[in-house]
Amino acid sequence: MKKTLTVLLAAGTILGAAACSAPKMTTAETCDRIKTITSSPSSSSDKFGMTRLANQIRPIQATASEELQAPLQSIVDYLDEAAKKDPDQGKLDELKGKYTSAGQTFSQACGGGAQSGQPNQ
């Protein structure tokens, strides 16, 4: 468990540093990247699938278009909480509204074709 946490922290630090110098994607590029990962079979609604999806979204969020950065963060926050062994139901309820709003933003920005980063529930 400690090794996994250390690896995730190191990866997050590296991605954060890389994002500082990486150019921002356009909204269309961001939509294409999100559509690619949400259409993969690993985007399932079980805890492992939610964790995997959140980890795939993180590097995209770092370089996403300004319009889609906040919605991506809302999706990652929700997935992180939902994937916990014992999620805080109050926090999950609070995050669900932002998660739903993020899905609507994606539908509008990406022409309705994206699954808005949301796994099937």
Side-chain angles (χ1 to χ4, degrees):
M1 183 71 170
K2 286 184 180 181
K3 287 182 182 180
T4 303
L5 181 59
T6 302
V7 168
L8 289 174
L9 289 173
T13 302
I14 291 169
L15 289 174
C20 292
S21 62
K24 295 286 183 193
M25 291 187 282
T26 65
T27 297
E29 291 169 331
T30 304
C31 289
D32 288 344
R33 298 270 312 271
I34 293 297
K35 287 176 186 178
T36 299
I37 64 168
T38 57
S39 65
S40 77
S42 65
S43 299
S44 63
S45 61
D46 65 356
K47 291 186 183 292
F48 177 76
M50 285 190 266
T51 299
R52 184 178 175 105
L53 180 59
N55 288 337
Q56 290 175 320
I57 292 173
R58 285 181 222 286
I60 296 170
Q61 192 267 337
T63 59
S65 66
E66 291 292 325
E67 178 182 12
L68 297 177
Q69 279 189 333
L72 280 173
Q73 186 61 54
S74 295
I75 290 169
V76 168
D77 291 345
Y78 178 82
L79 292 172
D80 285 346
E81 186 63 32
K84 288 181 178 177
K85 184 176 180 179
D86 295 311
D88 178 331
Q89 193 58 47
K91 186 174 182 180
L92 201 55
D93 290 342
E94 176 187 327
L95 293 171
K96 186 157 183 114
K98 293 177 183 178
Y99 177 76
T100 301
S101 177
Q104 293 168 348
T105 300
F106 265 117
S107 291
Q108 292 171 350
C110 299
Q115 293 299 310
S116 62
Q118 298 180 5
N120 298 329
Q121 296 184 349

